[in-house]
């Protein structure tokens, strides 16, 4: 099943420890990459070989400016200026299953744009500070796999327990 873009949401942990959806997010992108060293064959071969070294990830997004929302451009700017580490989750719903990408990072940049003919908008980039954890309840085209449901409130905020783990019902 194809995942619709509206079913992919970014959640950032607020100062109370709750994960809250980013305000008025229009787009979001998860980027994962690996750097490689080029090596040669120790037996004298002439074929280029590659050795994976460092894996990195980042999240970018854009939205409409609404300072009244909890996780808004204003919240992000305060975290960036304060050089505060954040906890982030990217939540993708696929039918009855979910994929959750979570990790720690920092805001690298936040841009606000004011166009006289359109609503104010912002873009942001979160860079990794450590591993990206990936969990999924999406079945892999087989009868195996357990479908789970998670709790969300009326604002599409994920509800977590005291350990910031998703509450599965």
């Amino acid at each position: 099943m194809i995942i619709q873009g509206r079913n992919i949401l970014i959640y950032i942990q607020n100062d109370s420890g709750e994960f809250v959806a980013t305000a008025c997010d229009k787009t979001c992108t998860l980027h994962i990459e690996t750097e490689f060293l080029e090596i040669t064959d120790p037996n004298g071969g002439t074929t280029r070989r590659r050795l994976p070294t460092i894996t990195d990830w980042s999240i970018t997004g854009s939205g409409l400016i609404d300072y009244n929302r909890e996780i808004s451009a204003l919240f992000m700017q305060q975290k960036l200026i304060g050089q505060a580490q954040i906890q982030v989750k990217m939540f993708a719903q696929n039918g009855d299953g979910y994929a959750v990408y979570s990790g720690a990072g920092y805001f690298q940049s936040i841009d606000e744009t004011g166009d006289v003919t359109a609503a104010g908008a912002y873009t942001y980039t979160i860079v990794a500070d450590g591993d990206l954890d990936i969990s999924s309840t999406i079945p892999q085209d087989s009868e195996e796999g357990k479908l789970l449901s998670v709790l969300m409130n009326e604002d599409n905020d994920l509800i977590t327990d005291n350990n910031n783990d998703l509450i599965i019902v």
Side-chain angles (χ1 to χ4, degrees):
M1 171 184 278
I2 304 286
I3 297 176
Q4 298 296 315
R6 68 178 174 268
N7 293 333
I8 301 173
L9 299 170
I10 303 295
Y11 293 82
I12 296 173
Q13 191 174 43
N14 66 14
D15 293 331
S16 300
E18 301 168 312
F19 281 91
V20 179
T22 54
C24 306
D25 228 0
K26 297 187 310 180
T27 63
C28 56
T29 302
L30 171 65
H31 177 79
I32 305 171
E33 69 178 12
T34 297
E35 294 179 15
F36 293 89
L37 289 176
E38 285 190 18
I39 59 174
T40 57
D41 188 330
N43 298 321
T46 58
T47 304
R48 183 178 297 169
R49 309 273 310 206
R50 290 181 173 78
L51 180 66
T53 58
I54 298 172
T55 300
D56 197 15
W57 61 272
S58 63
I59 293 176
T60 58
S62 67
L64 301 176
I65 297 172
D66 182 353
Y67 291 143
N68 293 323
R69 298 293 304 262
E70 184 174 7
I71 305 296
S72 66
L74 186 61
F75 174 91
M76 295 177 186
Q77 292 163 347
Q78 291 167 338
K79 295 299 180 187
L80 184 143
I81 290 169
Q83 299 179 346
Q85 184 187 63
I86 61 164
Q87 298 295 318
V88 62
K89 292 183 187 242
M90 184 173 186
F91 181 79
Q93 180 181 1
N94 186 17
D96 292 330
Y98 301 91
V100 179
Y101 306 84
S102 57
Y106 292 92
F107 284 106
Q108 181 180 40
S109 64
I110 300 162
D111 297 313
E112 283 192 27
T113 305
D115 183 337
V116 73
T117 63
Y122 69 97
T123 59
Y124 61 90
T125 300
I126 299 169
V127 293
D129 186 32
D131 293 337
L132 179 67
D133 295 318
I134 303 173
S135 62
S136 174
T137 62
I138 299 172
Q140 302 298 308
D141 294 330
S142 71
E143 295 302 316
E144 299 174 16
K146 183 178 177 183
L147 298 180
L148 303 174
S149 296
V150 296
L151 291 179
M152 298 175 78
N153 66 19
E154 62 277 355
D155 292 326
N156 286 330
D157 298 330
L158 293 174
I159 300 174
T160 59
D161 62 18
N162 291 338
N163 294 323
N164 293 321
D165 294 322
L166 293 174
I167 297 178
I168 299 172
V169 293

